[in-house]
């Protein structure tokens, strides 16, 4: 009997250690993945969205296209940088509270390191023509990143005439009206609920 109890204790202890290693592996994967995304900090959060989608949707399969769109929308109307908020959401989903913290640390760590180095050097070298030309090229690259993000968001969001009309309405309003993006997001959420309830549901054929 004592031998059986000893064996059971060893098995339980081994399972606890294995579970702990799996947890640490998840944390490390979160930190490393978002650190790789954080390296591409040129141009801000929107320029990083295509890289983020490639890592967490295409490669890791942590979330799908619909989930990442929801995270974008929520992050847009909450305080903070959009890419940091998205990292927190995904980390929370995979690793709980600590997962959210570690994913957030991963995405901001490269920025902290790079900006600290640039702050020490930029004031001394910013007047050099080669440095100015380099930043001109970086700005063009950032435009491409943002354009790619827009294309992916368009393909997953604007799917029919109704959503296209809604897109054009918000687009024109954002050009001519000086309104906070939070208001657009809230109004769009309410409009989505109303459209689904009164348009899409009623257009469905009745069940046989």
């Amino acid at each position: 009997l004592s031998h059986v109890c000893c064996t059971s204790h060893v098995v339980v202890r081994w399972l606890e250690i294995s579970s702990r290693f799996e947890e640490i592996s998840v944390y490390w994967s979160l930190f490393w993945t978002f650190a790789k995304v954080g390296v591409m900090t040129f141009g801000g959060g929107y320029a990083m969205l295509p890289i983020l989608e490639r890592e967490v949707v295409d490669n890791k399969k942590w979330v799908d296209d619909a989930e990442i769109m929801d995270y974008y929308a929520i992050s847009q109307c909450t305080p903070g940088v959009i890419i940091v908020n998205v990292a927190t959401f995904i980390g929370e989903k995979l690793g709980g509270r600590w997962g959210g913290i570690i994913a957030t640390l991963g995405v901001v760590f490269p920025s902290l390191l790079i900006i600290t180095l640039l702050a020490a050097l930029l004031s001394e070298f910013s007047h050099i023509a080669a440095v100015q030309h380099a930043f001109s090229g970086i700005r063009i690259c950032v435009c491409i990143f943002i354009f790619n993000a827009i294309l992916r968001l368009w393909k997953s969001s604007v799917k029919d005439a109704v959503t296209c009309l809604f897109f054009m309405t918000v687009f024109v309003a954002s050009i001519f009206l000086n309104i906070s993006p939070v208001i657009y997001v809230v109004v769009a959420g309410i409009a989505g609920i109303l459209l689904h309830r009164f348009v899409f549901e009623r257009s469905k054929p009745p069940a046989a």
Side-chain angles (χ1 to χ4, degrees):
L1 182 61
S2 61
H3 178 71
V4 173
C5 292
C6 182
T7 303
S8 300
H9 178 74
V10 171
V11 171
V12 171
R13 185 61 178 167
W14 171 255
L15 291 175
E16 291 177 353
I17 294 174
S18 299
S19 176
R20 188 63 178 171
F21 272 114
E22 290 179 5
E23 186 177 359
I24 294 173
S25 177
V26 170
Y27 291 156
W28 169 249
S29 182
L30 281 169
F31 181 86
W32 177 246
T33 299
F34 282 102
K36 289 191 294 183
V37 175
V39 170
M40 304 300 296
T41 52
F42 300 101
Y46 287 104
M48 298 161 68
L49 295 184
I51 303 167
L52 175 67
E53 291 187 14
R54 183 188 64 197
E55 289 292 332
V56 303
V57 177
D58 299 334
N59 295 343
K60 296 293 186 179
K61 309 294 185 183
W62 286 341
V63 294
D64 56 29
D65 290 328
E67 286 180 292
I68 201 72
M69 285 292 297
D70 292 339
Y71 293 152
Y72 289 165
I74 297 172
S75 299
Q76 180 64 49
C77 57
T78 52
V81 182
I82 183 172
I83 195 68
V84 175
N85 295 342
V86 172
T88 306
F89 281 127
I90 297 176
E92 174 74 22
K93 176 187 176 181
L94 295 177
R97 184 180 305 167
W98 280 107
I101 294 173
I102 290 171
T104 303
L105 291 176
V107 79
V108 301
F109 177 74
S111 301
L112 177 63
L113 185 61
I114 293 171
I115 292 173
T116 301
L117 294 174
L118 287 178
L121 300 175
L122 191 58
S123 60
E124 299 182 10
F125 298 101
S126 59
H127 63 280
I128 299 176
V131 175
Q132 296 175 357
H133 295 160
F135 276 101
S136 298
I138 289 173
R139 285 193 290 269
I140 295 173
C141 185
V142 166
C143 291
I144 299 300
F145 286 154
I146 296 176
F147 183 69
N148 287 335
I150 292 173
L151 286 180
R152 294 197 64 162
L153 294 175
W154 171 276
K155 291 177 182 178
S156 59
S157 302
V158 182
K159 299 180 178 180
D160 50 36
V162 175
T163 52
C164 185
L165 178 62
F166 189 73
F167 169 83
M168 294 304 300
T169 302
V170 176
F171 178 73
V172 173
S174 65
I175 293 176
F176 294 102
L177 300 178
N178 187 19
I179 300 177
S180 170
V182 176
I183 297 177
Y184 288 115
V185 173
V186 173
V187 172
I190 296 173
I193 295 173
L194 296 177
L195 284 173
H196 185 271
R197 183 171 182 179
F198 295 105
V199 177
F200 296 119
E201 287 293 335
R202 292 185 177 182
S203 64
K204 291 182 179 180

